[in-house]
Amino acid sequence: VDSHSTDETVTIAESFGAKVYQKEFISYATQKNFANEQTNNRFILSLDADEALSADLSAAIIVSMQNLTHQAYQLNRRTNYCGTWINYCGWYPDTKVRLVKKSKAHWTGTNPHDKLELKEKSHVGNLQGDLLHYSYYTKEDHFKQIEYFGNISAKELFLKGKNISVFLLYLKVITQFFKSYFVKMGFLDGKTGWLISSRSAYATLRKYQILRKMHQ
């Protein structure tokens, strides 16, 4: 599902045999629910453009489809940050329900954080292997996305009538860093853990700065 991109995305995808559908972007959940509607098989494996399957996970999915025991499966997502695989900071195992029976799930969530929810309670299986997430190749990519997601999140909060005081803003920034670096043991990821924790705190700062500016 492409939202009318202007680069070579569609040409490249079609060259590998992909069926491409165009839909104007409204929200991540809307795009993904639209994608689900276009599928024909009983089970759906949902991947973002920056995600891929490890060999172990690919094999586990094939086995699970040959011997179905659940209506949904969650995958362990491992993120690559500027060339380094992250094991802490709350980034691993970043479990995501991504393999589901089509009739049993739909996408929900508040932009930009979407999630796949089951329509009814069901035991969720867990598959071995990793969903490889290539998040950022450079620090510039990260700061660019912080601004992009910050604007989306702030707009959602603004439309809900939310605002925040300066005191609470900085409390949330400090809490975010403490959680990522100490509680989630980001320090064990070395220098990269420090960078991720610092930039996660900065992302919190920017989101609420933008929100305050909207109210002003």
Side-chain angles (χ1 to χ4, degrees), residues 6-211:
T6 57
D7 57 13
E8 298 300 313
T9 297
V10 173
T11 301
I12 294 171
E14 290 179 336
S15 73
F16 283 93
K19 293 181 180 179
V20 178
Y21 297 87
Q22 293 289 348
K23 179 175 173 56
E24 181 181 356
F25 184 88
I26 299 174
S27 71
Y28 290 98
T30 300
Q31 293 295 99
K32 293 180 179 182
N33 282 326
F34 173 77
N36 287 4
E37 293 169 2
Q38 311 313 310
T39 62
N40 297 317
N41 295 322
R42 288 192 304 138
F43 270 78
I44 297 171
L45 172 65
S46 181
L47 298 178
D48 288 342
D50 58 359
E51 295 172 340
L53 306 178
S54 69
D56 288 344
L57 179 55
S58 182
I61 290 173
I62 292 173
V63 171
S64 70
M65 291 297 97
Q66 294 172 341
N67 182 29
L68 290 172
T69 56
H70 302 85
Q71 294 181 331
Y73 295 87
Q74 62 183 12
L75 317 178
N76 294 326
R77 188 167 73 160
R78 184 183 293 275
T79 296
N80 187 291
Y81 185 85
C82 298
T84 300
W85 292 106
I86 306 304
N87 297 310
Y88 299 97
C89 297
W91 283 22
Y92 186 81
D94 182 20
T95 56
K96 303 288 186 183
V97 175
R98 291 297 188 82
L99 182 62
V100 295
K101 191 173 183 179
K102 179 178 179 178
S103 60
K104 300 297 182 181
H106 67 291
W107 288 92
T108 63
T110 301
N111 253 345
H113 305 292
D114 55 75
K115 58 182 177 179
L116 192 56
E117 286 191 351
L118 299 179
K119 294 180 180 179
E120 57 190 52
K121 290 186 177 180
S122 178
H123 185 64
V124 179
N126 188 279
L127 299 180
Q128 296 298 310
D130 290 329
L131 176 61
L132 306 177
H133 179 215
Y134 296 90
S135 61
Y136 311 104
Y137 291 96
T138 66
K139 67 178 182 180
E140 288 77 17
D141 288 341
H142 194 179
F143 283 114
K144 182 179 180 181
Q145 189 142 349
I146 284 174
E147 289 297 313
Y148 176 67
F149 280 164
N151 276 282
I152 293 176
S153 298
K155 182 179 179 180
E156 290 287 337
L157 292 171
F158 181 79
L159 292 174
K160 292 179 179 179
K162 304 290 185 180
N163 202 354
I164 189 172
S165 67
V166 173
F167 173 77
L168 188 56
L169 186 160
Y170 283 102
L171 180 61
K172 284 181 174 291
V173 171
I174 294 170
T175 300
Q176 176 58 46
F177 177 83
F178 185 84
K179 177 182 177 182
S180 177
Y181 196 67
F182 293 105
V183 178
K184 298 297 184 180
M185 299 188 292
F187 60 89
L188 293 178
D189 279 316
K191 179 182 178 181
T192 304
W194 170 268
L195 292 174
I196 288 173
S197 300
S198 299
R199 290 166 187 173
S200 294
Y202 175 70
T204 300
L205 174 67
R206 287 299 298 141
K207 175 175 68 175
Y208 289 113
Q209 282 180 332
I210 295 168
L211 175 62

